[in-house]
């Protein structure tokens, strides 16, 4: 996508790439429409939260918790899977179910439609290339656009849903996820069920659990892990996009200025960096040691790699990952394991976790089979910013020290090619 300089300091961009506020970070990074629709099918509101439409998501999650509970829909679903169809019909509240259906279908449809529109907006925002403020400081909080590890966000949410969202700097989302998780686990008696299950008292675990509330937990748990992972990924990409814009605009501005330097006793040093705050810190410190800004060329390298990755790392967060299919499989089988765990010996906790692990790897295998020619296991650690510095040879050691301190991936002092007189 060609980058263009956004020239106005007073007019807001027509298509924003993202934004930072006291409530957290958000962006219009492309979302896969079927993934958004799937999460809304699992739990209305999740698809909207996945897209970054948090207000829609909050309203629909609250609606799902209230209406599903009044309709006793989870209880009816569980009894149906157990083959107890007459009991399932008896427990169901028909009046609330009829109210439920239209909103459920709307949630799925609107998630798919919204993801398509966000993808279009992302394309237009890239063309306009408006800047993003990389930080906001207030009395209440400091929010910084920074590079983080996606897998670490997933792990924190696996320990307690909501923590991964807080790690990704989504303050409001993390607070909401943590609050709903505490509320639902309390209503379902989850902590006691967990304790009895791991003590081996499976009959007591099954006896005290509230089926209606407990069946909310598998989809909540899987989504919290997945959403934290994707939120960190999107934040990393937003950082890369903004730094690319900054470096290109900087180079364009410096290209209009000219300075001279003696060709005698000068060197050229080439270094590479990953996208990070160290790039801009290195530029600033090189200028401080006396090298003019015009002699520092720093530009992003074009990405030639288009393969899908199983795991996106902090160094190559491109958002395309077969973890989409793996988490879909994990959520399906965790729900099934929980449902049948009410009648199987090990109980709903153990079977739910078994279902999560089995479904995750089954979904991963299916993705590998379907996309085996496009997939690498891990995204590669690679240099993303090229820097060329021209300076007197007497400043070589100070320059190299700056590059080392500011985490350059590597550097090269260009050799001097001397042609002897004939």
């Amino acid at each position: 996508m060609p980058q263009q300089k956004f020239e106005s300091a007073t007019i807001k961009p027509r298509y924003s790439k993202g934004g930072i506020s006291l409530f957290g970070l958000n962006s219009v990074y492309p979302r896969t429409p079927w993934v958004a629709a799937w999460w809304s099918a699992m739990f209305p509101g999740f698809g909207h939260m996945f897209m970054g439409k948090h207000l829609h998501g909050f309203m629909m999650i609250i609606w799902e918790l209230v209406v599903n509970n009044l309709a006793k829909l989870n209880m009816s679903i569980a009894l149906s899977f157990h083959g107890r169809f007459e009991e399932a019909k008896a427990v169901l509240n028909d009046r609330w179910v009829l109210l439920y259906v239209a909103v459920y279908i709307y949630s799925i449809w609107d998630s798919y439609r919204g993801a398509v529109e966000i993808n279009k907006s992302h394309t237009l925002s890239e063309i306009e290339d408006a800047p993003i403020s990389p930080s906001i400081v207030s009395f209440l909080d400091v929010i910084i656009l920074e590079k983080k590890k996606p897998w670490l966000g997933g792990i924190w949410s696996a320990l307690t849903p909501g923590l991964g969202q807080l790690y990704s700097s989504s303050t409001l989302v993390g607070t909401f996820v943590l609050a709903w998780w505490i509320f639902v686990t309390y209503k379902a008696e989850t902590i006691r069920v967990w304790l009895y299950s791991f003590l081996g008292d499976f009959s007591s675990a099954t006896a005290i659990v509230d089926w209606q509330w407990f069946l909310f937990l598998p989809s909540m748990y899987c989504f919290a892990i997945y959403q934290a992972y994707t939120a960190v990924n999107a934040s990393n990409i937003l950082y890369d996009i903004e730094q690319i814009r900054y470096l290109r605009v900087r180079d364009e501005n410096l290209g209009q200025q000219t300075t001279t330097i003696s060709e005698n006793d000068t060197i050229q040093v080439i270094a590479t960096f990953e996208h990070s705050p160290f790039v801009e810190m290195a530029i600033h410190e090189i200028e401080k040691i006396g090298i003019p800004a015009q002699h520092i060329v720093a530009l992003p390298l074009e990405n030639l790699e288009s393969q899908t990755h199983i795991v996106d790392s902090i160094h190559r967060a491109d958002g395309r990952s077969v973890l989409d299919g793996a988490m879909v499989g994990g959520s399906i089988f965790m729900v099934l394991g929980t449902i049948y765990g009410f009648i199987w010996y090990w109980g709903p906790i153990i079977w739910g976790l078994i279902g999560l692990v089995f479904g995750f790897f089954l979904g991963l295998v299916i993705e590998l089979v379907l996309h085996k020619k496009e997939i690498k296991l891990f995204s590669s650690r690679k240099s993303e910013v090229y820097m060329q510095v021209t300076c007197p040879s007497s400043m070589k050691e100070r320059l190299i020290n700056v590059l080392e301190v500011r985490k350059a991936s590597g550097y090269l002092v260009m050799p001097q090619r001397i042609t002897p007189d004939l």
Side-chain angles (χ1 to χ4, degrees):
M1 182 65 62
Q3 302 291 316
Q4 301 175 4
K5 180 183 176 183
F6 189 78
E7 297 179 350
S8 174
T10 58
I11 302 174
K12 291 184 178 180
R14 296 180 66 234
Y15 295 94
S16 177
K17 299 174 188 174
I20 302 178
S21 74
L22 290 178
F23 302 116
L25 304 172
N26 207 350
S27 71
V28 289
Y29 179 70
R31 271 75 168 185
T32 308
W34 76 263
V35 175
W38 164 256
W39 283 115
S40 281
M42 283 295 295
F43 201 113
F46 283 0
H48 290 84
M49 289 189 65
F50 168 65
M51 294 187 295
K53 300 181 71 172
H54 299 130
L55 183 59
H56 280 71
F58 294 161
M59 291 190 296
M60 287 192 174
I61 288 169
I62 293 171
W63 174 88
E64 167 70 12
L65 291 174
V66 172
V67 178
N68 187 313
N69 190 55
L70 292 172
K72 299 296 181 184
L73 187 60
N74 281 352
M75 180 68 77
S76 181
I77 291 171
L79 292 171
S80 297
F81 273 88
H82 293 167
R84 296 158 61 178
F85 301 113
E86 293 303 319
E87 291 181 66
K89 288 189 289 185
V91 76
L92 199 62
N93 187 323
D94 295 340
R95 292 175 297 175
W96 284 104
V97 168
L98 294 175
L99 179 64
Y100 183 91
V101 172
V103 180
Y104 180 77
I105 294 174
Y106 168 82
S107 176
I108 298 171
W109 171 80
D110 192 57
S111 294
Y112 188 94
R113 181 201 62 80
V116 171
E117 294 304 315
I118 283 176
N119 293 350
K120 295 176 185 176
S121 180
H122 169 77
T123 301
L124 294 172
S125 71
E126 278 286 88
I127 294 172
E128 192 169 9
D129 196 35
I132 302 166
S133 175
S135 67
I136 181 171
V137 180
S138 75
F139 176 77
L140 295 176
D141 205 353
V142 177
I143 306 294
I144 300 172
L145 187 61
E146 58 180 312
K147 298 296 285 286
K148 295 179 180 177
K149 298 177 174 62
W151 59 266
L152 192 55
I155 288 176
W156 278 118
S157 274
L159 295 174
T160 298
L163 296 183
Q165 284 71 23
L166 293 175
Y167 170 75
S168 72
S169 297
S170 298
T171 308
L172 184 61
V173 175
T175 303
F176 183 81
V177 173
L178 189 59
W180 100 47
W181 180 257
I182 292 172
F183 177 74
V184 176
T185 53
Y186 172 79
K187 297 290 287 186
E189 297 284 354
T190 305
I191 303 302
R192 292 171 62 198
V193 174
W194 183 280
L195 178 62
Y196 285 137
S197 296
F198 282 90
L199 290 176
D201 189 355
F202 303 115
S203 58
S204 295
T206 305
I208 66 171
V209 69
D210 185 321
W211 289 24
Q212 172 61 35
W213 285 100
F214 196 85
L215 286 181
F216 285 127
L217 296 178
S219 52
M220 283 184 168
Y221 186 71
C222 290
F223 177 74
I225 297 172
Y226 179 77
Q227 198 274 338
Y229 175 88
T230 56
V232 176
N233 240 345
S235 175
N236 286 348
I237 294 166
L238 191 63
Y239 183 94
D240 290 353
I241 289 172
E242 171 54 21
Q243 188 165 79
I244 287 170
R245 186 208 64 81
Y246 164 77
L247 292 174
R248 284 177 171 157
V249 171
R250 174 187 178 274
D251 186 71
E252 181 181 337
N253 292 335
L254 291 176
Q256 300 171 4
Q257 305 174 26
T258 58
T259 60
T260 59
I261 186 172
S262 172
E263 294 185 3
N264 297 324
D265 199 28
T266 62
I267 60 169
Q268 281 192 336
V269 178
I270 295 174
T272 56
F273 291 80
E274 295 154 11
H275 281 297
S276 75
F278 289 124
V279 174
E280 295 166 52
M281 294 167 72
I283 292 172
H284 175 67
E285 291 185 13
I286 292 172
E287 291 176 6
K288 281 180 64 177
I289 65 175
I291 298 174
Q294 295 88 337
H295 297 162
I296 306 168
V297 176
L299 286 169
L301 294 169
E302 294 296 336
N303 174 35
L304 299 178
E305 185 178 329
S306 60
Q307 291 171 296
T308 302
H309 301 94
I310 295 178
V311 178
D312 291 307
S313 74
I314 187 174
H315 307 290
R316 175 78 171 81
D318 60 10
R320 300 181 59 229
S321 168
V322 295
L323 287 182
D324 294 343
M327 289 306 297
V328 165
S331 60
I332 292 172
F333 281 91
M334 189 175 189
V335 170
L336 293 176
T338 299
I339 289 173
Y340 289 109
F342 288 119
I343 56 175
W344 291 347
Y345 177 65
W346 286 343
I349 292 286
I350 301 298
W351 280 110
L353 294 175
I354 291 173
L356 171 62
V357 174
F358 174 78
F360 179 90
F361 284 105
L362 178 63
L364 192 60
V365 168
I366 292 173
E367 287 277 9
L368 291 173
V369 171
L370 293 177
H371 305 286
K372 59 183 178 182
K373 293 182 179 180
E374 306 170 11
I375 288 174
K376 288 175 61 179
L377 178 59
F378 289 96
S379 54
S380 56
R381 182 185 183 112
K382 65 193 315 183
S383 298
E384 297 171 321
V385 177
Y386 166 92
M387 184 179 295
Q388 177 182 305
V389 182
T390 304
C391 67
S393 58
S394 60
M395 305 182 73
K396 172 183 171 182
E397 295 303 323
R398 296 173 66 189
L399 173 58
I400 291 175
N401 182 63
V402 170
L403 296 176
E404 290 176 344
V405 169
R406 294 309 174 195
K407 310 297 183 184
S409 300
Y411 67 88
L412 168 66
V413 179
M414 292 294 290
Q416 300 294 324
R417 303 300 185 188
I418 301 175
T419 304
D421 295 330
L422 296 179

